[in-house]
Amino acid sequence: MKTNIPKIGFVSLGCPKAGSDAERILTQLRAEGYEISNSYEQSDLVVVNTCGFIDSAVEESLEAIGEAMDKNGKVIVTGCLGAKKGVVESAHPNVLAVTGPHALEEVMAAVHKNSPKPHDPYTDLVPPQGVRLTPQHYAYLKISEGCNHRCSFCIIPSMRGNLVSRPIGDVLNEAENLVNAGVSEILVISQDTSAYGVDMKFRKGFWNGRPVRTHMTELSQALSELGIWIRLHYVYPYPHVDDVIPLMAEGLILPYLDVPFQHATPRILKSMKRPASSENNLSRIKAWREICPEITIRSTFIAGFPGETEDDFKELLDFLEDAQLDRVGCFAYSAVDGAKANDLPDQVPEEIKKERLSRFMEVQERISSAKLERKIGTMQTVLVDELTTDSNDNIIAIARSKADAPEIDGVVYVQDAEGLTPGDFVDVNILDVNGHDLVGGPPTAA
Ligand code: SF4
């Protein structure tokens, strides 16, 4: 049985560059299984590819949009005229979406939104939410690829190139599909989440017919409307990060920040060429906690970076004591083929690196354990990941609180877990600490 395939009308005006944009959009539409129609009346919607070069071209484009609106009524406008702020919208306020030229992904996002291709299990190789490697109830949402920084210990930019952000409409549509497929927690990932949209000059995209800027704060705000847990990873401490903390305080996104600080002394941070290295991270952390006392801060550090003196290292330990971070990973510096840091002078001997790593972990273990101890007696909402049994065959749920990201943080072992299933949210009373994990129970409805 064949399902109804949406038909898309297409009108293309303008120069060869506009023609080539049209070809890419038409190719993508066909590749996704849409039919192309040459009748306004029989199309589910119409894409008008415009020109805005001279006055007569503007007029011709506005007329073409008007004709498509009259004869069909569902119109997506793309091309050069779309880049002229407000021109299309003021002449034709009811168009579905407007994009500039060279905007294949944004046009496709608008098409998907307004005329979704029905999923056909007989012919589609993948479900609408894509193929996932994670359990049914949580998913990673990648918002960009590559990185504009050049940290001296890292070779990612040479492998993956500069930052390329995904259009916000696509990202939000993917998030919506995940929620529709039963996902209860989305983990936002990238190489540098704070930089989302920099490469696009934070341009406006569309989601559910409304404009949304390609920016971390607006992305977080929009994701919060999905009503599930939203967790942000790889956030560099730029000043605009302060704007997402109130969303955490209001319970709109999880009060959890994964901020890879890597070191604490300005000299080493500079030698690492770290983004936001001149920020006063201690006062930022203090300010975040004032706005959202519940916030969990996770970070990673490198001990024994080339040039790190004993004094630098002690400053790093002092930073740990002052910052009181909740979750911390640390690595002894090791050379990566092709990284600039390999050529830095004053490489630290292996045994000193190892000794510093263990001193670092000793300090942080004490801090993290004390923070976990303080949770005993509190009520925590947890998300059940899986079920297991203890040595007496009692059913135990392995769950995570708002403070625990999958794979990298601890878990909450929930006693008396009969009847629970993965993906359930429940409230538990925290009874004990077990290493990096907590023990809680009995579960009550969240
Ligand atoms: S470590 Fe630095 S260069 Fe490497 S991906 Fe992260 S921010 Fe970019």
Side-chain angles (χ1 to χ4, degrees), residues 130-249:
V131 175
R132 296 191 4 243
L133 301 172
T134 46
Q136 194 100 25
H137 60 281
Y138 71 80
Y140 294 95
L141 180 66
K142 186 159 142 183
I143 59 170
S144 61
E145 181 53 276
C147 178
N148 284 348
H149 303 294
R150 295 294 180 264
C151 298
S152 54
F153 55 81
C154 176
I155 57 164
I156 284 176
S158 67
M159 295 188 306
R160 301 195 171 198
N162 280 341
L163 177 80
V164 180
S165 301
R166 291 180 59 203
I168 192 151
D170 271 13
V171 171
L172 291 169
N173 285 339
E174 182 179 334
E176 225 174 355
N177 282 338
L178 290 168
V179 174
N180 292 337
V183 162
S184 307
E185 176 180 7
I186 281 179
L187 302 110
V188 175
I189 54 164
S190 67
Q191 305 297 339
D192 178 0
T193 296
S194 319
Y196 179 55
V198 166
D199 54 316
M200 297 179 152
K201 300 199 169 51
F202 305 116
R203 86 169 167 239
K204 194 174 70 177
F206 286 87
W207 181 52
N208 286 337
R210 71 166 211 248
V212 193
R213 246 172 18 116
T214 314
H215 188 280
M216 179 180 73
T217 315
E218 292 204 18
L219 172 71
S220 303
Q221 177 83 51
L223 286 172
S224 77
E225 294 170 25
L226 298 173
I228 58 162
W229 278 9
I230 305 294
R231 194 182 295 278
L232 301 183
H233 286 282
Y234 315 117
V235 177
Y236 290 102
Y238 294 108
H240 68 269
V241 172
D242 298 357
D243 299 338
V244 297
I245 310 297
L247 302 181
M248 297 179 181

